[in-house]
């Protein structure tokens, strides 16, 4: 596939190309295993000396085609699909950081990732220092330790809608010999390609805009192929020294720019699993084919909603980077010139109960945990996704108790505004 095709063309035609007489839509190869005529041929596959399929946990043609489309969209050398966005972020880090290691993450990230890094990975012996995405280069530098192995942030944070200064984070990471991992779920490669700003690894919860219709839970890890692991070999022995559990091969030496991706599949997928069902990858692929159209409509609608809310006297504040007075507006002009996403955050004048009353008065807008869907969705993080966090942790995660997350969908804008307005009339 021509990687120089424009984004819209890659959304529609990337990853899978039908051969002569083959189905035009990506086939679902719903098979756990693949048959060979002789054992020698299969042995070569196990030795990674030949390309081919033998067991779906490691590779499957449907999954691979969708991974290839996402890699092309992001401009990476390879991608791996996972069974959830959580698994994607876990694997992206765990592939290069083991017990005794340390990472630095923006504190404005999805609550599940905040918990994964702050609690669960700690139990595996990996420490995380959370930093403000607005931290200066000096403050970021001060968070480094000799055992730091990666930096992490979200292009547009969930739920606070903060925009990551990718260039700043990448330059500090690279100065310290570690990669920058960016979760690009909300922006999608339609609106931002973090590799162009220096990020090394990109992750996605494909559950969100990429799917768009809330049909499957999935994730993806994409490698730019640009990080020089060998130049920092002492930090990344898993990539730069022989893997005794895989015939002593050295991923970066034997697979070059595909080393990170190959290790993730042959080691982490082999030992921990977490691949998507091919059926789910098919559903994801349906969504990806219209991603460019949906993102444009999400952005148009969200801009109109943000302006409407900002002008309403019952609204205390609105965070949407498309608003000229938003603190993230300058960063948005740089990193997201064609639009950001459909998610915005706002607070109502009043207390927590005011937010709940407004949400309960909505008619077509859906109260769901989900976000980044074709349907307009709403959530009160302090009562829902982040409810296990203490007041102090909420503050650390940048989630104000009154924050309402509104994920503006692609319905007619008049109907969305009418619903918001009638619910405001009832508080
Ligand atoms: N990353 C971001 C930015 C998210 O918003 C989410 C979920 O909302 C995740 C990761 C986790 O993804 P999943 O729910 O697919 O596991």
């Amino acid at each position: 596939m021509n990687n120089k095709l424009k984004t819209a063309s890659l959304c529609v035609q990337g990853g899978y190309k039908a051969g002569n007489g083959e189905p035009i839509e990506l086939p679902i190869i719903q098979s756990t295993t693949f048959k060979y005529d002789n054992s020698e041929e299969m042995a070569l596959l196990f030795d990674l000396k030949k390309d081919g399929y033998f067991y779906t946990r490691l590779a499957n043609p449907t999954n691979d085609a969708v991974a290839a489309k996402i890699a092309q969209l992001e401009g990476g050398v390879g991608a791996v699909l996972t069974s959830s966005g959580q698994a994607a972020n876990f694997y992206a880090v765990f592939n290069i950081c083991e017990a005794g290691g340390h990472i630095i993450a923006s504190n404005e990230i999805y609550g599940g990732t905040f918990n994964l890094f702050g609690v669960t990975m700690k139990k595996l012996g990996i420490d995380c220092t959370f930093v403000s995405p607005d931290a200066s280069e000096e403050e970021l530098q001060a968070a480094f330790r000799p055992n730091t192995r990666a930096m992490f942030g979200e292009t547009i944070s969930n739920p606070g809608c903060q925009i990551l200064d990718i260039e700043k984070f990448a330059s500090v990471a690279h100065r310290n010999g570690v990669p920058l991992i960016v979760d690009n779920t909300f922006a999608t490669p339609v609106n931002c390609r973090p590799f162009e700003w220096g990020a090394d690894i990109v992750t996605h919860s494909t559950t969100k805009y990429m799917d768009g219709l809330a049909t499957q839970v999935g994730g993806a890890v994409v490698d730019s192929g640009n990080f020089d692991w060998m130049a920092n070999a002492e930090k990344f022995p898993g990539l730069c020294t022989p893997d005794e559990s895989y015939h002593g091969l050295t991923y970066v030496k034997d697979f070059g720019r595909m080393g990170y991706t190959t290790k993730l599949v042959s080691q982490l997928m082999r030992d921990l699993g977490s691949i998507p069902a091919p059926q789910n990858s098919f559903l994801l692929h349906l969504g990806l084919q219209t991603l460019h159209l949906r993102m444009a409509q999400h952005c148009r609608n969200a801009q109109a909603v943000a302006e409407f809310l900002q002008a309403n006297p019952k609204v205390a504040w609105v965070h949407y980077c498309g608003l000229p007075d938003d603190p993230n507006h300058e960063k948005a002009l740089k990193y997201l010139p064609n639009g950001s996403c459909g998610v915005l955050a706002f607070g109502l004048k009043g207390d927590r109960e005011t937010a709940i009353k407004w949400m309960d008065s909505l008619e077509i807008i859906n109260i769901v945990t989900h976000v980044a869907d074709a349907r307009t969705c709403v959530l009160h993080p302090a009562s829902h996704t982040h409810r296990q966090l203490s007041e102090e942790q909420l503050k650390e995660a940048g989630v104000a108790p009154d924050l309402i997350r509104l994920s503006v969908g692609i319905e007619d804008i008049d109907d969305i505004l009418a619903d918001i307005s009638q619910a405001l009339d009832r508080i």
Side-chain angles (χ1 to χ4, degrees), residues 26-138:
L26 175 68
I28 308 168
I29 310 293
Q30 191 77 27
S31 178
T32 57
T33 199
F34 300 81
K35 172 195 168 276
Y36 287 91
D37 288 341
N38 62 68
S39 76
E40 172 60 16
E41 217 176 317
M42 209 156 85
L44 288 173
L45 296 176
F46 270 97
D47 282 350
L48 303 183
K49 290 198 173 129
K50 200 176 161 208
D51 279 343
Y53 297 99
F54 51 103
Y55 194 57
T56 282
R57 169 151 45 76
L58 298 168
N60 169 283
T62 310
N63 292 352
D64 282 3
V66 182
K69 184 186 289 257
I70 294 173
Q72 288 162 1
L73 280 166
E74 287 288 4
V77 292
V80 183
L81 297 190
T82 57
S83 59
S84 69
Q86 282 301 101
N89 281 329
F90 174 66
Y91 283 166
V93 172
F94 199 59
N95 205 29
I96 49 172
C97 185
E98 300 177 357
H102 168 254
I103 60 169
I104 299 167
S106 161
N107 61 7
E108 294 252 359
I109 51 175
Y110 167 60
T113 315
F114 192 81
N115 207 59
L116 169 69
F117 291 169
V119 180
T120 299
M121 289 189 70
K122 202 175 172 64
K123 292 181 193 160
L124 297 174
I126 296 168
D127 276 340
C128 179
T129 301
F130 290 103
V131 291
S132 161
D134 291 329
S136 66
E137 292 205 14
E138 293 68 36

Side-chain angles (χ1 to χ4, degrees), residues 245-267:
S245 79
Y246 223 117
H247 319 308
L249 60 78
T250 302
Y251 293 102
V252 169
K253 217 167 96 215
D254 293 333
F255 297 97
R257 296 179 80 205
M258 286 300 288
Y260 175 92
T261 307
T262 308
K263 175 176 182 288
L264 200 155
V265 172
S266 19
Q267 221 179 50

